[in-house]
Amino acid sequence: MRKAGTVLTLGLFLLMACQRGTANPTGPTMATPITMGLTTGIPAPEFELERLDGGTVRLRDLQGKVVLLNFWASWCVPCREEMPLLASIYRDYHAQGLEILGINLTSQDDFGEVRKFVEEFDPPFPILLDPNGRAERDYRIFGVPTTVFITREGIVHRVKVGILKGREDVEQTIRPLLGLR
């Protein structure tokens, strides 16, 4: 009986893990749960984080903008792969009201490697540091990269765990949020 219980528990865990990135990308009408992760349709958790280049950023100061939070680490290969895409999206949509914030999981990273990563990719958007892991916990990050799309009203619209599937994937989410066709 104990073995059957263990198998059942493992099966449920695997089912939940497969569902964790299934947020409704077209916009929920009510809270849509992501198992083990952040829930869509709720206010985005507030944070104030230090910028790598100095100063701080508070999420509440970005009210009225569409915000894309990208949680990353320098040792994450998929994070390296998607950074050029994020830079391109930022350049193309920033003037329309898109803000991208790269949030480094500093509590799990080496600061020297973070600097090297940023020097290599030179992202045009702010890089924020999360040295105590508070934003990571508040956003229930359990894998990187994780990208959180937030509406102009500060509501979590979509959570994508894992690498973004390309420009079209991102644009299908952000263009309607920005009021673009």
Side-chain angles (χ1 to χ4, degrees):
M1 187 65 172
R2 184 173 184 185
K3 185 175 181 179
T6 303
V7 170
L8 179 59
T9 301
L10 179 60
L12 288 173
F13 176 77
L14 290 172
L15 177 63
M16 290 187 308
C18 291
Q19 292 176 345
R20 66 183 174 189
T22 60
N24 182 349
T26 60
T29 55
M30 55 189 230
T32 304
I34 298 178
T35 307
M36 297 170 48
L38 191 63
T39 301
T40 60
I42 64 167
E46 178 56 43
F47 61 77
E48 181 173 347
L49 295 172
E50 296 288 324
R51 291 175 59 128
L52 180 62
D53 60 359
T56 61
V57 172
R58 295 182 309 185
L59 183 62
R60 70 177 154 263
D61 292 341
L62 300 175
Q63 192 83 15
K65 294 184 182 250
V66 172
V67 179
L68 189 155
L69 304 178
N70 181 256
F71 289 85
W72 65 277
S74 66
W75 43 261
C76 165
V77 174
C79 298
R80 301 179 73 76
E81 292 174 16
E82 76 180 8
M83 193 56 68
L85 169 65
L86 293 170
S88 174
I89 293 287
Y90 180 84
R91 286 184 189 104
D92 292 346
Y93 290 97
H94 181 69
Q96 284 84 18
L98 176 69
E99 189 62 60
I100 296 179
L101 302 173
I103 302 178
N104 175 259
L105 302 187
T106 318
S107 65
Q108 300 180 33
D109 214 336
D110 175 83
F111 191 71
E113 294 301 314
V114 172
R115 285 200 172 279
K116 286 182 192 175
F117 183 100
V118 171
E119 286 173 13
E120 178 181 346
F121 291 100
D122 193 25
F125 49 83
I127 298 297
L128 308 181
L129 305 173
D130 187 20
N132 62 13
R134 181 161 182 218
E136 177 187 356
R137 284 188 303 279
D138 289 350
Y139 278 83
R140 301 171 78 186
I141 303 302
F142 57 93
V144 292
T146 293
T147 305
V148 179
F149 298 83
I150 302 171
T151 68
R152 292 181 188 271
E153 296 77 27
I155 303 299
V156 175
H157 177 75
R158 177 182 177 204
V159 179
K160 170 66 172 112
V161 178
I163 192 166
L164 295 165
K165 294 181 180 167
R167 186 174 188 88
E168 186 175 310
D169 178 39
V170 177
E171 287 181 332
Q172 285 180 345
T173 301
I174 65 169
R175 288 183 66 80
L177 296 177
L178 292 168
L180 304 172
R181 292 188 183 265

